[in-house]
Every structure is written in C-alpha cells, then in structure tokens.
Amino acid sequence: MTVRPVAPADAARSFLKLGVSTLAMVIAAPVFAQVATTPADPAASTTAATPNDGAAADPQTQTQDGVGSGDIVVTGFRAALENAVAEKKNRDLVVESVSAEDIGKLPDASIAESIARLPGVTSQRVNGRSNAISIRGFAPDFSTTLLNGREQTSTGDNRAVEYDQYPAEVVNQVLIYKTANAGLIGQGLSGTVDLKTIRPLDYGKRVFSVGARGTYADIGKLNAGSKDFGYRASATYVDQFANDTIGVALSASYLNEPYQIQEGNAWGYAPVTVNGASANVIGGSKSYVTSTTLKRLGLSGTLQWKMSDTFTSTLDGFYSDFNDDQIKRGIELPLAWGSGTTLTNATVSNGLVTSGTFNNVEGVVRNDSFQRKAKLYSFGYNGKYKGDDGWSAFIDLSYSRTDRDEVTLETYSGTGYGQGNGATDTIGFTTGRTGTVFKPTLNYSDPNLIQLTDPLGWGGTTRQAGYFNDRKITDQIKQYRVEIEREVETPIVHAIRFGLNYTDHSKSLAPNESFVTLPNGATIAPLPQQYRQTPTDLTYLGLGPMLSYDPRALLAGGVYTLTPNTSPDVPAKAYTTTEHLMTAYLQTDLRAQIGAAELTGNIGVQAVGTEQKSRGLIYNGSGYTSIVQGDDYWDILPSANLSLRLPSDWVFRVAAARQMMRPRFDDMRVALSYGFDTAQGIISGNGGNPYLRPIRANSFDVTVEKYFGTRGYLAAQGFYKDLKSFVYNLEQPYDYAGLPLPAAVPVGTPTLGRITRPINGSGGTIYGVELAGTLPLGQVASFLDGFGLTGGGSYTKTEIVPTPGGEPEDIPGYSRWVANGTAFFEKWGLNIRGSVRYRSTFVGELSGFGANRVRRRAIDETIVDGQIGYDFQEGTFKGLSLFLQGQNLTDTPFVTTNGGQRDQVIDYQSYGRRFLAGFTYRF
C-alpha cells in the first residue's frame, strides 16, 4: 500500500472526508474487527484499546495519541478496519467492533446492518429493514445494549433494543462484548452491545460536517398516498475551547424514508383427501401490500470540562422522536378452512395440492393502519478522577426513558354481512415455492359490491367491522454507579477496582382495545365517495385491484365508531413490572511477562441482588382485583479473561464466566385470566409469572488470533454455553385458593386447577466456532494495492430443550450457519465495495394479532449490497464525498414455511431493491 506522510490537519480532513461516504454502506462491516494497528486518527475510534479492558468498566472513553507529522496515515474504510481490529487485539475480552470511517459515520446506514456483518452475528429483517440482531445463535432477547456504557430502555416489548431508534450519524463506534467481566454492568447472556458517541476533548479538533442522501425503493408506490422516494439529512459539530479544557460535540439527524412490501400469507395447510389419497392444501390466505413511512429526528450532545489535570466532567444527552406509519391493504380468503367452501380440479404433487379451484369463497377485504410513535430520552453525567499516585475513581449517573404508543386499526369489508349472506367467489389457484397465486372471478375494487361490514360474522352480536388496539408502553431506567481503582506494581497484578451500581428499571403496558362498528347498529354500509382512493393492486398474486381507503379517516369522520372490548383477556395483557438491582463488583487486572510473551487479563466477580415486582389485574368472573407479586434473589457471577500475547503477533485467549439474562417483562406480568373449563370440569387460566428467575449459563471461550503487521489477521473463536435454566410456557397445576372465583364456577369445584404460564426449567447447551479474516491484497502483490477482502463465518449447534421432556429444538434467532464477506477497492479517492451475507434457516419471531409473538421457520437467505463512491482530495471540492449505494440487489425475499416444509409457504415478503445517493461535506 502506498501512502504519503501528511500534517495532522490534512490527515484529519483526508480521514473524515473519505469515511463519510459510508453513511449508508451496507457493505462493510464483517470486518470490523480485524486488523492489528494503532488507530490512524482519534476520529475513527472513541475508545482507546487497553489490554486490561479499563474502558469496559468505565462508561467514559479514553484519550488516544494524536497523529504526528511523520506518521503514515490510512483513511476511509481501511482505517476503520484497522481501528476496529486494534480494539479486538488489545482488549482482554472477546470483542468485535465497528469503527466509523469519519466522525459519526458508520460503514452502514443502519447500525443493525453494520453489527450483522460481524463474526457470529446476524439480523432478522422486519418490514424490509434490519432493526434487531442475534448474537451466537440467540434471539435479541438474550443480548443487551448500552449507550456509552449505560443501560438503555427499548422501543420494543422486552429488553432488546430496536436499532432503528439510533441514527447511525450520532454513533461513532460499536463494541460487542462476547465474554463477560465483573466491571461490565448490564451485560447480556449472548453478548453486550455498547454504542459509543464521540468525546470532543479526545477528538482534539474543530470540525463541522453536513450530509444528505436520497432513497429510492424500486418496488414502487404500492398504496395510494405512499412514496417511493425519501431522504435523510445530518450535521455534526465538534469544537474545543478554553485552551482545550472545554469540548462540545453536537449532532442532528432527520430521516424521512419509505419502505414498500408485497406480502403473501397462508393461514396454514389443511389435510384433504384427493382421489383417495391424503394431501395438504392451503387453508386460507391473507395477502397485503404494506407501505411504511419512517420519520425520525435524532439529537445528540456532549459537553466535556477538564476542570483540572486530574478531574474531567462529561455530560451526555440523546433524544429520538420516532414515527413508524404503515398502511396495509389486501384481502383474507377462507379456503379449505372456510365454511361451505369446496375444492375441485385438484392436482397433487408430493402430497401437496399444487393447483385447483375453491368454490363458494367469501373474502374479507382489509384496509388496516399501524402507527408507532416513540420518544426516547437518555441523559448521563460522568465525573472522573485520575491521580498521579495510582488512584482513580469515577461516579456515573444516568437516566433513560422511552414513551411509546402503538395504534393498530383493522377494518373489514365484503359482499354481505355475516356468513353466507353475500356473493361468493370461485377462485383458481396455483401453489409453489413463492406461495400461492390466485385467479378470482369477483371484482374486489367495485364499491357497489364490496361494502363496510363484518363479512364472516367474526364479532358475533357485536357486528364487528374491524378492530382497534392501542398499546401504551413506558420504559424507564435510573442508574447510579461509582468505582474506585488502584494501580499496583506487582509482577502479576496491575490494578484492583471495586464498584457499586444501582439500577431502577420499570416497564409498563396499558392496552386499550375496542371493536370497530358502524353507527346506529348498522350491519353494512357503502364506502362514502369522498373516502375512496385509488385501488391497491394485488396483481402479483393474481388477485387484481382492491377497494382502498384510509381507515383512520373513516374513524375520524364518524363512518366508524368504537365499542370497548370488555373481555378479561385485554386487562390480562397489562402489567407494570419493576426491578431494583444492586450490583457490587471486584476485579483484578493482570499483566505479567512470561519469557518473551505477555499475559494480560482480569479476574473478578459480580454480586447482583434483584428485587422484582409486578402489578396487574386478576379477573374474577365479574370484575377485576388488583394484585402485586414478586420475588428477590441474589446471583454471584464470577468471570475470568486471560490473553497470552506473543512477540510474533499471536494472541491466545481463554475466558470463563457465569452469566445470566433476566426474563422478558411480559413473561413476568402478574395478571391472570381464568374461568371454568366445562370440558374438564376444573378452573383453568393463563397469564404471566412474577416469580420467574433469570436464564443462567456457564460460558467458556477459547480464541486463537494471528495478526500480520497492522493490516491483516486470521482468527478462530470457539465458545460453549451450558444453560442451567431456561424459560418456557407450560400447563401446570395451580391453586386458585384466595382468589375470587368466577360466578360460573359450580359450588364445590376444587380450587386446584390448571394454568398455562412461563416457568423456569432445565436448559441445554449451545456451542460453536467462528472464523474471520482480513487480507489487504496489496500485501500479496504490489499491483493489487488498494484491493482487499474481509469476512467471517460461524457454525453453531444448539441442544436446548425449550419444552420439558421434549427433544432439543431451535430457539428463536438460531441459524446453524452464518457467513459474510466484503471485497473492496479504495485508492485515489475512489472506493468500491461489494458485500454478501448469508444465514441458514432459522426460527423467526413476528408480530401477530394484538402484538402477540408468533414464531415461524424462515428459510435461508443471502443479501447482496454494493456501493461506489468518490472523495475529492484536492482542489475546490476538497472535503466533498459522493456515493451511490444499492441494497438487497438480488431482491431476496423473506420467506417462512409450515414446519420446515419448503413447498408449504406461510409468509412470502418481497421488499425490492433500495438505491441511495448522497454526499457529505466536511469543513
């Protein structure tokens, strides 16, 4: 590789402008963890890599040396790789990382996509975008996310952070800790993700950067009023004052982007007999076209004050205002499971009816809306003392809160009110590996034929023309932490640190559900002319155009009214769960010479005291009783990380730890819904379990890493987790004594009945190996200077038994094989990248009716992305970077199947390709 020495200011400019093009690069990051070198510029990494992982225990970042006038400077994507690998090489935990190529510019538009390119990490696409990650074969629920070392609230239903909430522009580095140490607070069982923002005094320079990009979804405008073009704009300012004792960093980002989805869904597959032989046929269909508009304002600020040579104060703030607005239009078709339908002209192949005709089909035209509004607030203060006598200490205070409101509005229309009262359809169909394509005879866009009603009588006497679900969630964390450290001069022990942390975490859900009805007891009504929109086209499934309208406009205009749902199932979903966690930790940092090699590491222990309580309502058959239940317990979590570093650039690591992951909040709800089961003659119910304990595991890691100078590496990582417990749903005996009994319970019925709820049970094992490497091809042949390859792959095996007495099953998020690779060229200001990531089949978690979790088997998928960009290095436009990016270039769909039967498709979602063009300019 050929580089030239430059002055510090030029180095910073060159570095910053070259990386900015990565604002939306999907391509990059598997990489992120692997080349050995000292960071070329403090802008690319906010946390200095220290062998004893001091930064892991301290939420604040460390200072790096500046770039000297004679230093070799590597900028852009290659610098990001080298900075990230420096983190991996020098830390004693098993760490993967993503470093920004420029200030606040990660190598991808989405944080989740950047993380998903790391070894042993992948993501699940939801509505066409990656917003949650799986680490080492575990679902997102098994990992936690920190912001500058502090625990964060979530916009999701549980603890897992949805990364859409965090703009990539305000994050300067991402660290994933795969192993544990005592000083890492809020760690997950599969891994801990720490998002880092820039520290202005550590950055050491003034900079102002602006950027913008346009987005195009090539699948087109699928619904009336939707868009296929969007945009994003951002700005960042960093400066230092008062002889570099006061620093400020400010970032702002605004996003307005569309996502479009064509979706086919099967209710399932029904057994039938064709010509005397058994076969399966599609039982029903629910097909939608979904148009989503994401709007997000993200603001981030940091103020640092170096009050003296020994004390520095840092104040952080982050705010996100997020709006996910969806309109879904389509049709439900009761087929084999429809009342009165018949199947004719059936063709069978390998036990599956691949074509035929359904007669007497009564369809339900759907016009639904979904809107999620979430506001996230995060503030933190850190005061750090570092004396010249070996003593250091810090105090850290933080607050995180998320207020979320989700409103789902379903509306139905059809040819008549109630089963058997409207016109029926004769529908031909063909079933294959892309789902089912239909050939109807009715025109479902005709407003004279399709009217507002309850076509199948779903609401019974309620005359339900739709359903309304408003879920309000509040998530709040208060965290207080203090740590004292003493450096010691012994042949083995380098430092001893002790800390205390107190976390107050509460999360609540308040559901409000209603039936959508027509005014004045009407059972059917035509769609008023003023609300009619351009029909939504479902030709991709052969269904043609559908009657379309905005259901929110009809509700606001009085065409619909709401009738509250008084079912006991609604308040049984509500909960308020609180956790008070006291954590004390003691850690010894090690550093010793063994011949020519160096041994570094840490040994420590956490003691975590938990007090958990859940408040909710219990239905007694005629009303509700408020109840509070909970538990308290202690966990002792020892950990050890050792790294042997040889002069030949070999690094050998071993790690062992006791880890835990606290249960889902909704699983810990106290609310119960119960009544009399006439079939069994007993009291039966379902609900949560406020006495749930964490999932606990003993974890072991072994890694071997070989670094080649400062530019290349090979690494093999093995891990083994022995889960001592797991959480699963089980029906078990339950004594309802002391609870109000429903009026329907006959006198003399025993209070000992049955309940279905989450419980703690035995776990199992999950283990695997991860391989990764980076190779700048210029090291192989000089004429290949600027070219490079980076990537990784992992194999994971699970033997976890989620059902007592059953066989080992795949847990959500688990893929046996995960691989990714990036080829890049970067020279003369030109940068070109292509990236591929693959994951084998897995159990995906989707959101079902009422936001309930639905698990389905997803097929393997391969995602291809690419980018080309140019950075002006001289002349009038110096500091300007341009880029063009393509995402999902092969238009890979998201597909789930019926129990792993590849020909029996349940979900087939097409997102199309996305193209992004933009610029950044650094002053």
Side-chain angles (χ1 to χ4, degrees), residues 329 367 369 409-413 451-453 465 516-519 525-533 547-562:
R329 297 187 173 110
N367 283 261
S369 68
L409 176 58
E410 300 180 356
T411 63
Y412 318 138
S413 52
Q451 301 192 50
L452 309 178
T453 187
V516 176
T517 57
L518 296 170
L527 175 65
Q529 177 69 41
Q530 66 267 32
Y531 295 108
R532 298 175 189 175
Q533 296 183 336
L547 183 72
S548 298
Y549 53 87
D550 186 343
R552 294 166 294 191
L554 270 66
L555 183 61
V559 178
Y560 286 130
T561 60
L562 298 181

Side-chain angles (χ1 to χ4, degrees), residues 435-621:
T436 300
V437 177
F438 302 94
K439 187 176 181 180
T441 57
L442 293 181
N443 179 4
Y444 290 98
S445 64
D446 183 356
N448 297 314
L449 175 66
I450 306 300
Q451 301 192 50
L452 309 178
T453 187
D454 184 355
L456 299 181
W458 288 341
T461 58
T462 307
R463 300 174 180 177
Q464 176 182 349
Y467 199 78
F468 177 86
N469 188 356
D470 184 2
R471 306 169 74 245
K472 298 184 185 299
I473 298 96
T474 300
D475 195 356
Q476 180 175 266
I477 296 177
K478 299 175 184 178
Q479 192 169 12
Y480 315 90
R481 184 177 178 186
V482 61
E483 180 182 286
I484 300 174
E485 179 182 347
R486 170 65 172 171
E487 294 183 2
V488 295
E489 299 298 332
T490 72
I492 298 178
V493 177
H494 171 67
I496 299 175
R497 65 183 68 199
F498 170 77
L500 289 172
N501 181 86
Y502 177 76
T503 300
D504 184 349
H505 192 176
S506 65
K507 192 157 190 168
S508 63
L509 165 65
N512 175 22
E513 301 183 19
S514 298
F515 298 105
V516 176
T517 57
L518 296 170
N520 304 317
T523 59
I524 189 167
L527 175 65
Q529 177 69 41
Q530 66 267 32
Y531 295 108
R532 298 175 189 175
Q533 296 183 336
T534 302
T536 296
D537 190 2
L538 269 64
T539 301
Y540 68 98
L541 293 176
L543 292 167
M546 297 287 144
L547 183 72
S548 298
Y549 53 87
D550 186 343
R552 294 166 294 191
L554 270 66
L555 183 61
V559 178
Y560 286 130
T561 60
L562 298 181
T563 301
N565 183 354
T566 58
S567 166
D569 292 337
V570 176
K573 300 175 184 177
Y575 63 84
T576 297
T577 300
T578 60
E579 294 176 331
H580 303 290
L581 309 172
M582 174 59 76
T583 302
Y585 61 92
L586 179 66
Q587 179 173 306
T588 299
D589 297 333
L590 309 176
R591 182 180 295 170
Q593 291 297 132
I594 303 178
E598 183 182 39
L599 177 69
T600 64
N602 52 71
I603 298 175
V605 63
Q606 274 189 5
V608 183
T610 301
E611 178 185 317
Q612 64 188 38
K613 291 183 179 180
S614 181
R615 180 186 302 275
L617 299 175
I618 292 183
Y619 179 65
N620 60 26

